[in-house]
Amino acid sequence: MAQVIWLVIAVLALFSAGYLGYSRYLAQFVELDDSRETPAHKYEDGQEYVPAKKPVLLGHHYSSIAGGAPIVGPITAGVVWGWVPALAWIAIGNPLMGSVHDFVSLSASLRHEGRSIGYIIGEYVGERGKNMLLWFAFLTIILVVGVFALVVAIVFNAYPEAATASLIYIGLAVLLGAYLYQLDLPFIPGTIAFVVAMFVGVWVGIQYPLALFEPASRAPAQTTVLLSGIGTWWLPASDSLGANTAAWVPIILVYGAFASALPVWVLLQPRDYLSSFLLYTGVGGALLAVIVGTVGGALGISAVTPSQPLVTNLEPFYGFIGRSGAPLFPLLFITIACGTISGFHSLVSSGTTAKQLNRESDARTIGYGGMLGEGLLATVALITVALVAPNVGGGIGLALPTFATGGGVILTSFGIPASFGAPFMALVLVSFLLTSTDTAVRLGRYMMEEIVGTPESPLGSFAVDRYGNAVAQALPAYLLVTSGSWLTLWQLFGGANQLLAALALLTATVWLANWSESKQLISTGGPMVVMVFITVMGLLWLALHDNVYAKFLNDAWMESATTLSMVSAAVQVVVAFVLMYLALSLVLMGYRNIRRVREDPSEGGFSPGDD
């Protein structure tokens, strides 16, 4: 067994080297210049384009990109293959691939009026390529919305304390928005008052947990159950998900749809700013607690000794064929997506974040540094499962509560009782997820606006309407979740998300190639090639092995399979091949553009002054 402090030290060392060295080089490479007007100032409209202070925007960006995936992925991968390969992919892949992906996506959008990666690729490869990428992104968004709504519901079921605390902190966020933007009152005193009130809300949640139906068995005895005793036969997915989880899903989707339609200053900016304090406290506090607990335990200082030894209870490596029978390559690199590299981040970077960037130099901290922060979250998730649940199976139903429970154990290093620490870590997780959910819906509207352009029919008007578009996303997401095939939803999300990361890196590479023949393309092109290869191999495994071979060619499975399960398996195969076709077609278009402009630099179509 290894002390988990060595996991922390390894990640902090590599991430520090990446930020202090590589990110500085990249900032010079893309020529960030604070004298250049950002889209937030040039197109300020009080609705979407709103300049934000760097700490406020960092809070929004970090909260939006860090959902449940950087927790589920490391926990699942650690259990299946061991903590060494999981840690290596996070510690090395994040600064060289994921942080580069987020930073260049933000930088490219910054130079194209805050527009999406779909718009940017269309500028260089044509309208067909633009629409293909935008449709790819929009379909991915629906998967994201469904997954995040489901995982919030799972956490609310396991920790009803987080449900109460979340309601309080959303209310506080609306009040903070009015305080800052309507009343124009002092920033720092307001921050202090509202952050204190938010932590009081955590205490209130612990005292008065809230559930819709009977929650998980670990829920406190004093939990208030609003619909206790009411039959659930009418509630979709109550059999497969449990009544309480199934009841929270539509509520979270309605919240996401409504919140996405509000001006960013009403809820998005103040809520994300507040939640950043939760996130920094939870992630940073857990990492510091590992150090304090290890040093305190070694010195025999009982006041800082955790409730159990901070050592790994997972094997370093379970073999190339992991404990679930899954091969390390390519599935490790898809299982851990967010935390190392995630295509969803390119939508956030080139969607909401680019429209709020106050100065170009802020892009380095927010883009590159924000992704390193998510890598730290993934590290904390890996540590929690290494501490308390070495035999837990994969899947979000067990992974998310494990994060809260393990985090509570880590915080005992500060003398914080696990009865407070675990619900607090659950709220930290929910604050990530709620932010990601309505940000995703907002991004989906941006995608559709670029696809439709100027509406010329009632259907087009509905598709770009802020409320109509929200319904167009939330409804299919709900149907996917309640179909009972949420495992399919998770796998498709992982595949689509990683392919989208490859396409975002392709977009950045094409942009740089069109900028100047002197721009090197290795920083973005290298990770792009790796991600295309890995993800295509993963989707082929999902389609051909997990479905065609293990199901349709398996007589035992065919004899017992229901119509719904066969349709679900067929959908997986079709979607996997559609994703691969779209991605490889775009890669071919991008390659042709790069080859053309490198052979004839006059063909390039970008200059740093473009807006």
Side-chain angles (χ1 to χ4, degrees):
M1 292 186 293
Q3 291 184 315
V4 298
I5 191 173
W6 295 113
L7 282 68
V8 174
I9 291 174
V11 170
L12 289 177
L14 290 172
F15 282 14
S16 296
Y19 185 76
L20 295 175
Y22 199 27
S23 75
R24 188 181 301 275
Y25 161 74
L26 291 173
Q28 297 171 346
F29 178 63
V30 301
E31 302 178 15
L32 295 182
D33 183 0
D34 284 343
S35 67
R36 190 178 291 118
E37 189 177 34
T38 65
H41 288 284
K42 185 174 182 179
Y43 301 105
E44 184 172 1
D45 60 5
Q47 179 73 30
E48 312 292 353
Y49 290 86
V50 180
K53 293 181 174 64
K54 183 161 72 171
V56 175
L57 186 55
L58 178 61
H60 156 70
H61 183 81
Y62 186 41
S63 302
S64 297
I65 65 174
I71 294 170
V72 177
I75 287 177
T76 303
V79 169
V80 173
W81 295 290
W83 63 265
V84 167
L87 181 70
W89 178 228
I90 295 168
I92 299 172
N94 185 303
L96 291 179
M97 300 175 67
S99 295
V100 174
H101 164 277
D102 288 22
F103 173 76
V104 296
S105 296
L106 176 56
S107 300
S109 179
L110 192 63
R111 300 293 172 75
H112 293 82
E113 301 180 335
R115 305 296 290 270
S116 72
I117 58 170
Y119 172 88
I120 297 169
I121 195 72
E123 287 288 284
Y124 306 111
V125 304
E127 189 73 11
R128 179 169 174 263
K130 166 192 167 183
N131 288 334
M132 288 177 68
L133 197 148
L134 287 173
W135 273 113
F136 187 106
F138 184 75
L139 295 175
T140 302
I141 284 291
I142 293 175
L143 296 172
V144 169
V145 171
V147 166
F148 287 171
L150 175 58
V151 293
V152 172
I154 288 172
V155 176
F156 280 177
N157 180 58
Y159 285 92
E161 305 98 314
T164 304
S166 296
L167 293 174
I168 293 172
Y169 115 90
I170 290 172
L172 288 172
V174 173
L175 294 176
L176 177 60
Y179 174 94
L180 292 176
Y181 294 99
Q182 295 296 101
L183 302 179
D184 196 26
L185 295 174
F187 180 74
I188 294 179
T191 295
I192 295 172
F194 278 91
V195 168
V196 170
M198 182 179 61
F199 280 98
V200 171
V202 177
W203 179 84
V204 172
I206 293 173
Q207 301 302 313
Y208 304 99
L210 177 67
L212 299 177
F213 291 94
E214 281 67 18
S217 58
R218 69 140 304 276
Q222 73 270 25
T223 300
T224 299
V225 181
L226 297 181
L227 301 175
S228 179
I230 298 178
T232 60
W233 58 268
W234 49 272
L235 186 62
S238 60
D239 291 338
S240 59
L241 299 177
N244 195 43
T245 301
W248 277 116
V249 169
I251 292 176
I252 295 158
L253 287 172
V254 169
Y255 158 80
F258 182 73
S260 72
L262 295 173
V264 294
W265 66 266
V266 174
L267 178 61
L268 184 144
Q269 283 189 354
R271 181 207 54 207
D272 295 354
Y273 179 58
L274 278 181
S275 68
S276 68
F277 289 92
L278 278 175
L279 308 180
Y280 302 149
T281 303
V283 177
L287 294 173
L288 182 60
V290 169
I291 298 172
V292 171
T294 302
V295 174
L299 297 177
I301 305 173
S302 60
V304 292
T305 300
S307 61
Q308 66 185 68
L310 298 180
V311 296
T312 60
N313 291 306
L314 292 173
E315 291 294 327
F317 184 49
Y318 288 109
F320 183 82
I321 302 299
R323 292 200 289 177
S324 67
L328 179 73
F329 180 86
L331 297 188
L332 167 70
F333 307 95
I334 293 177
T335 302
I336 300 181
C338 299
T340 298
I341 180 170
S342 166
F344 175 66
H345 299 185
S346 68
L347 304 183
V348 177
S349 296
S350 66
T352 56
T353 303
K355 293 178 174 65
Q356 300 175 63
L357 201 71
N358 187 42
R359 299 182 306 172
E360 284 199 358
S361 61
D362 292 349
R364 180 187 171 210
T365 300
I366 293 169
Y368 196 98
M371 182 55 189
L372 292 178
E374 184 176 271
L376 294 177
L377 172 62
T379 303
V380 170
L382 183 60
I383 290 172
T384 60
V385 72
L387 284 174
V388 302
N391 296 315
V392 66
I396 57 179
L398 294 173
L400 298 174
T402 295
F403 173 78
T405 303
V409 170
I410 294 173
L411 293 180
T412 60
S413 298
F414 290 138
I416 300 173
S419 60
F420 183 92
F424 171 73
M425 293 300 285
L427 178 61
V428 168
L429 173 57
V430 167
S431 66
F432 283 122
L433 294 164
L434 288 176
T435 297
S436 299
T437 301
D438 68 84
T439 297
V441 179
R442 187 182 295 267
L443 292 171
R445 185 173 81 247
Y446 295 163
M447 301 293 110
M448 190 55 63
E449 286 173 351
E450 293 187 17
I451 292 172
V452 172
T454 302
E456 297 180 354
S457 68
L459 181 60
S461 299
F462 177 83
V464 300
D465 178 77
R466 65 185 58 196
Y467 298 105
N469 183 271
V471 172
Q473 294 181 67
L475 183 58
Y478 182 64
L479 294 176
L480 284 168
V481 172
T482 56
S483 68
S485 56
W486 63 267
L487 285 174
T488 300
L489 181 64
W490 182 262
Q491 291 171 326
L492 291 177
F493 161 71
N497 188 47
Q498 293 295 68
L499 261 186
L500 184 58
L503 296 180
L505 288 166
L506 170 69
T507 300
T509 306
V510 170
W511 165 53
L512 294 170
N514 280 264
W515 183 346
S516 170
E517 63 177 333
S518 65
K519 294 293 182 184
Q520 57 88 2
L521 305 180
I522 301 299
S523 293
T524 55
M528 183 268 292
V529 172
V530 171
M531 292 310 302
V532 168
F533 180 70
I534 287 173
T535 311
V536 168
M537 292 297 102
L539 287 173
L540 284 173
W541 180 273
L542 170 65
L544 300 180
H545 179 274
D546 290 356
N547 287 287
V548 175
Y549 174 75
K551 294 179 180 178
F552 292 116
L553 299 180
N554 184 335
D555 292 337
W557 186 87
M558 289 295 293
E559 290 176 1
S560 61
T562 63
T563 301
L564 180 61
S565 61
M566 286 191 285
V567 170
S568 175
V571 167
Q572 289 187 58
V573 175
V574 172
V575 171
F577 278 101
V578 168
L579 291 175
M580 286 186 284
Y581 168 75
L582 289 173
L584 293 175
S585 297
L586 283 164
V587 168
L588 180 60
M589 293 180 192
Y591 170 73
R592 288 172 175 168
N593 174 269
I594 294 171
R595 186 179 63 180
R596 185 174 66 252
V597 298
R598 283 298 160 102
E599 291 175 351
D600 182 4
S602 65
E603 292 286 330
F606 174 81
S607 66
D610 286 354
D611 283 312

